[in-house]
């Protein structure tokens, strides 16, 4: 008996052994010897703040009994499992392993009070700290919002996304801001942790930074897969004076003003707006500067290749005046095909400038007096009836 007691006293002070005299009284000599030989069967000395795995022993309406290796089973009261949805709770069954947080090591009945909520929160804080240190992007569903931004829940940890860190609401009016935040409730957003302070229970997140990094990552992947000459579907993302930017699935490329249409375009806004779906050809890829040059017009056939088949000398065509110059006026016959009405072909009376008889945007009837598909030139005349001495070789270029 003294040897057994002596053996029991050699165990670590943090490990509580079962009552050996009680085991002897019941005749459990073999079990007692097994416990002494295998310290893994010893009871754990748990304290407040420990997070451990336990095995569900019994599920009741108001509590769950869990074996956590202590002298008595631990209990999870209903108030400590509020983060479990009805579906989550219904899925629990006896024998399942579950992570719990020790709220109280022992109550008056000798049982440990456990919490699923705090365990999930503890696990989440640790994971969030790792995400912050690694710069990872996480995903969370918006639970609610207030005047300043969005509220999200990350397994028991409440996070805040300031309105300035949400791409869709940072530059709108206050009324629009509230409406947009309401729309985002229940929407899952990509987020990046930009500030974490567990002691103050403070977690600040940014959707804007997450989108920027996600887009950069997608852009790098896209750049490696693109080849010059490829044709891609895209969406116009912005319009500026010198062209339009088109999103081709993770990266924006520039369509310069000269590459929008075969026709003369003075401003991109004349023919395109944000959100328009377009086909674009890849002209050039700058891997160092991460820039992509695109073309819309090169996804279409060059109009002048069909001019010789569609038009002939003497044919009357309808054209729209696109530009006036001192020597004449340019008229668009079809997209990508313009002809020049020389000032001498604007009528029988002598005029000083085309603006005296024509204006930009005006639709006119004109007769073709010269066609040169190779040089992409067409001569037109407002004299609809040919004169016997008329020369069809009137110089089109005033120079």
């Amino acid at each position: 008996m003294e040897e057994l007691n002596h053996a029991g006293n050699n165990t670590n002070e943090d490990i509580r052994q079962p009552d050996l005299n009680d085991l002897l009284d019941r005749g459990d000599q073999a079990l007692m010897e097994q416990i002494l030989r295998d310290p893994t069967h010893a009871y754990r000395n748990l304290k407040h703040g420990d997070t451990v795995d336990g095995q569900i022993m019994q599920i009741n309406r108001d509590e769950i009994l869990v074996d956590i290796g202590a002298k008595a089973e631990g209990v999870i009261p209903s108030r400590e499992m509020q983060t479990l949805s009805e579906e989550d709770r219904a899925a629990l069954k006896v024998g399942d392993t579950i992570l719990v947080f020790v709220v109280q090591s022992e109550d008056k009945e000798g049982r440990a009070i456990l919490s699923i909520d705090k365990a999930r929160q503890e696990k989440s804080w640790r994971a969030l700290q790792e995400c912050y240190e690694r710069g990872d992007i996480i995903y969370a569903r918006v639970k609610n919002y207030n005047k300043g931004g969005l509220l999200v829940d990350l397994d028991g940890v409440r996070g805040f996304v300031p309105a300035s860190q949400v791409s869709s609401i940072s530059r709108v009016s206050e009324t629009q801001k509230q409406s947009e935040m309401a729309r985002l409730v229940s929407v899952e957003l990509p987020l990046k942790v930009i500030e974490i302070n567990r002691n103050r229970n403070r977690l600040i997140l940014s959707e804007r930074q997450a989108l920027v990094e996600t887009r950069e990552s997608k852009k790098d992947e896209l750049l490696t897969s693109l080849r010059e000459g490829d044709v891609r579907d895209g969406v116009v993302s912005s319009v500026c004076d010198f062209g339009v930017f088109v999103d081709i699935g993770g990266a924006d490329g520039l369509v310069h003003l000269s590459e929008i249409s075969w026709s003369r375009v003075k401003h991109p806004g004349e023919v395109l707006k944000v959100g328009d779906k377009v086909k674009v050809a890849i002209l050039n890829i700058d891997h160092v500067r991460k820039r992509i040059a695109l073309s819309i017009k090169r996804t279409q056939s060059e109009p002048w290749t069909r001019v010789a088949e569609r038009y002939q000398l003497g044919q009357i065509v309808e054209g729209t005046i696109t530009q006036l110059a001192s020597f004449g006026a340019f008229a668009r016959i079809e997209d990508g095909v313009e002809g020049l009405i020389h000032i001498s072909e604007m009528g029988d009376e002598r005029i000083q400038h085309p603006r005296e008889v024509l204006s930009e945007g005006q639709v006119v009837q004109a007769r073709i007096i010269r066609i040169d598909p190779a040089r992409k030139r067409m001569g037109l005349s407002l004299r609809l009836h040919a004169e016997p001495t008329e020369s069809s070789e009137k110089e089109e270029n005033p120079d």
Side-chain angles (χ1 to χ4, degrees):
M1 181 66 188
E2 291 179 359
E3 292 179 358
L4 292 176
N5 284 329
H6 179 69
N9 291 332
N10 286 338
T11 59
N12 193 305
E13 291 181 358
D14 291 335
I15 299 178
R16 183 183 301 170
Q17 289 289 345
D19 190 332
L20 302 181
N21 288 323
D22 184 55
L23 290 175
L24 284 171
D25 291 341
R26 300 198 331 254
D28 292 333
Q29 180 71 35
L31 176 60
M32 180 187 66
E33 292 177 354
Q34 181 180 359
I35 291 174
L36 292 176
R37 287 196 305 268
D38 186 358
T40 61
H41 287 140
Y43 295 140
R44 282 191 272 189
N45 186 21
L46 299 173
K47 59 184 182 299
H48 170 78
D50 286 345
T51 303
V52 297
D53 285 319
Q55 186 177 45
I56 296 177
M57 305 300 293
Q58 185 177 338
I59 300 175
N60 300 320
R61 179 177 178 180
D62 298 323
E63 63 183 24
I64 298 176
L65 297 181
V66 180
D67 179 6
I68 53 172
K71 184 175 181 180
E73 292 173 341
V75 60
I76 307 171
S78 57
R79 68 177 182 276
E80 294 294 345
M81 44 181 152
Q82 298 296 313
T83 58
L84 290 181
S85 65
E86 291 183 9
E87 293 78 9
D88 291 337
R89 189 163 178 178
L92 295 176
K93 59 184 182 297
V94 172
D96 284 353
T97 298
I98 190 168
L99 185 70
V100 291
F101 179 94
V102 179
V103 177
Q104 184 179 344
S105 59
E106 190 173 320
D107 66 1
K108 60 183 180 181
E109 297 178 14
R111 304 181 306 175
I113 304 302
L114 310 173
S115 173
I116 290 177
D117 297 343
K118 289 182 174 62
R120 295 179 72 176
Q121 191 177 61
E122 172 71 17
K123 185 177 180 181
S124 185
W125 273 116
R126 293 178 184 177
L128 288 166
Q129 184 67 42
E130 291 178 2
C131 288
Y132 175 67
E133 293 170 359
R134 292 195 304 260
D136 291 348
I137 292 172
I138 58 179
Y139 291 84
R141 200 171 298 279
V142 178
K143 295 294 184 181
N144 209 334
Y145 67 97
N146 57 29
K147 186 177 180 180
L150 305 174
L151 304 175
V152 299
D153 181 82
L154 291 152
D155 285 335
V157 176
R158 192 178 79 161
F160 180 65
V161 188
S164 62
Q165 296 298 323
V166 182
S167 58
S168 61
I169 63 178
S170 58
R171 295 187 179 90
V172 296
S173 68
E174 190 61 35
T175 301
Q176 291 174 311
K177 183 184 295 184
Q178 296 300 312
S179 176
E180 180 64 15
M181 288 196 291
R183 185 190 68 81
L184 289 173
V185 172
S186 297
V187 174
E188 188 177 67
L189 299 177
L191 300 166
K192 182 167 181 161
V193 180
I194 58 176
E195 183 181 343
I196 183 169
N197 189 324
R198 185 173 175 181
N199 293 331
R200 297 175 59 191
N201 201 32
R202 181 178 175 86
L203 178 67
I204 308 299
L205 305 144
S206 172
E207 182 247 10
R208 179 180 292 280
Q209 287 192 25
L211 286 180
V212 169
E213 294 196 11
T214 299
R215 192 167 184 81
E216 282 300 312
S217 176
K218 287 184 177 180
K219 187 171 185 176
D220 290 340
E221 292 178 12
L222 185 62
L223 284 170
T224 60
S225 67
L226 291 177
R227 298 291 181 272
E228 292 183 10
D230 287 353
V231 174
R232 296 287 183 111
D233 291 321
V235 178
V236 176
S237 57
S238 63
V239 178
C240 48
D241 293 339
F242 53 84
V244 297
F245 286 93
V246 176
D247 183 349
I248 53 173
D252 283 350
L254 173 65
V255 181
H256 190 269
L257 180 63
S258 61
E259 293 293 335
I260 291 176
S261 173
W262 290 108
S263 299
R264 192 190 305 269
V265 177
K266 290 185 177 180
H267 191 278
E270 296 175 4
V271 292
L272 294 168
K273 63 182 184 299
V274 173
D276 282 352
K277 295 180 179 180
V278 294
K279 283 191 177 297
V280 292
I282 312 298
L283 295 184
N284 179 262
I285 306 164
D286 186 337
H287 291 278
V288 176
R289 301 168 72 187
K290 296 184 179 182
R291 292 183 178 179
I292 308 168
L294 306 172
S295 173
I296 294 175
K297 75 179 188 181
R298 299 193 197 193
T299 63
Q300 306 154 358
S301 59
E302 216 281 67
W304 279 95
T305 60
R306 307 186 308 271
V307 164
E309 301 172 1
R310 294 169 58 84
Y311 303 103
Q312 55 272 341
L313 293 175
Q315 182 178 345
I316 305 299
V317 293
E318 184 176 88
T320 302
I321 304 302
T322 59
Q323 185 179 1
L324 299 177
S326 59
F327 53 84
F330 291 94
R332 184 176 64 248
I333 307 306
E334 64 173 75
D335 284 345
V337 177
E338 288 189 348
L340 173 67
I341 307 172
H342 193 269
I343 193 169
S344 62
E345 293 293 340
M346 293 184 181
D348 297 328
E349 297 182 4
R350 186 177 182 83
I351 60 174
Q352 296 298 317
H353 196 282
R355 73 170 71 93
E356 297 175 18
V357 292
L358 296 172
S359 59
E360 290 186 10
Q362 182 180 349
V363 177
V364 298
Q365 298 291 314
R367 182 166 53 86
I368 299 175
I369 59 175
R370 183 182 180 188
I371 302 177
D372 187 349
R375 299 173 67 192
K376 298 182 181 179
R377 291 182 176 181
M378 179 183 291
L380 302 172
S381 174
L382 294 184
R383 298 188 181 94
L384 301 184
H385 301 287
E387 299 178 3
T389 58
E390 182 183 64
S391 170
S392 63
E393 296 299 326
K394 192 177 290 291
E395 180 58 46
E396 189 173 321
N397 192 324
D399 297 332

